[in-house]
Amino acid sequence: YGRNFDAAEMPLYCAAISFKAIYDTADIRTTGGGDVAYAMDAPPRDSTLVSRLRSAGAIIYAHAHNSEYNGGSGDPEGASKVERPYIGAGGARESWGGVSCNPYDTERATAGSSGGSGSSVAANLAVCSICETTGGSCRGPANYHSTALVVPTKGMISFDGSIGATPYQDRPGIICRSVKDAVTVLDAFRDKKTGTYFDAGDL
């Protein structure tokens, strides 16, 4: 788009955004943090949220580290349990990327299954990151990384094209450096044709 982009149409022009690895991203391996014989298992299309941010001019920079298959870090089966004795409660571990670390102190936990979303923003690897919460998986990482957080009411923004844990509770969240940035991202989730957040894919 060069320098002559439409700021109203692309309010996130060249903003680097990371997504928790549960959101389908057509050009990035999307496995929810699992590491079996997936090879380059990129989905056939973007999730609704990824698609809407791309159309707003964002650069979908990377998948953020998360608890494997969107599981909790205290999983009694041990599938995503953080075994290393980090300082602080909670954390995220996956077979693909290992254990997430807090960039302020790598011996401190990142909290919640969206720990990579919080740490990617705190480390300035991304301007914002789209997390997901079933319980406190966005709130914990935002708190541990001193970032701003917006978690809309369930159903307000789309969850289509993502790996969920509990269908009655899962919902996306937005972690950014500032509330202003988080609100800008939230506004970019509106459907450009209707002006609403509604997504028929959620039905």
Side-chain angles (χ1 to χ4, degrees), residues 7 10-13 15 53 56 128 150 174 176 178-190 197:
M10 294 191 288
L12 298 176
Y13 181 68
L53 290 195
C128 290
V150 172
I174 305 161
C176 297
S178 70
V179 173
K180 181 180 179 181
D181 286 350
V183 171
T184 301
V185 171
L186 177 63
D187 284 344
F189 285 142
R190 292 179 188 271
Y197 295 105

Side-chain angles (χ1 to χ4, degrees), residues 68 71-81:
E68 189 168 332
S73 60
D75 182 353
E77 299 299 319
S80 57
K81 185 177 180 181

Side-chain angles (χ1 to χ4, degrees), residues 110-115 117-119 136-147 175:
T110 56
S113 63
S114 298
S117 289
S119 61
S137 299
C138 290
R139 185 177 66 246
N143 182 40
Y144 278 37
H145 296 96
S146 299
T147 55
I175 293 177

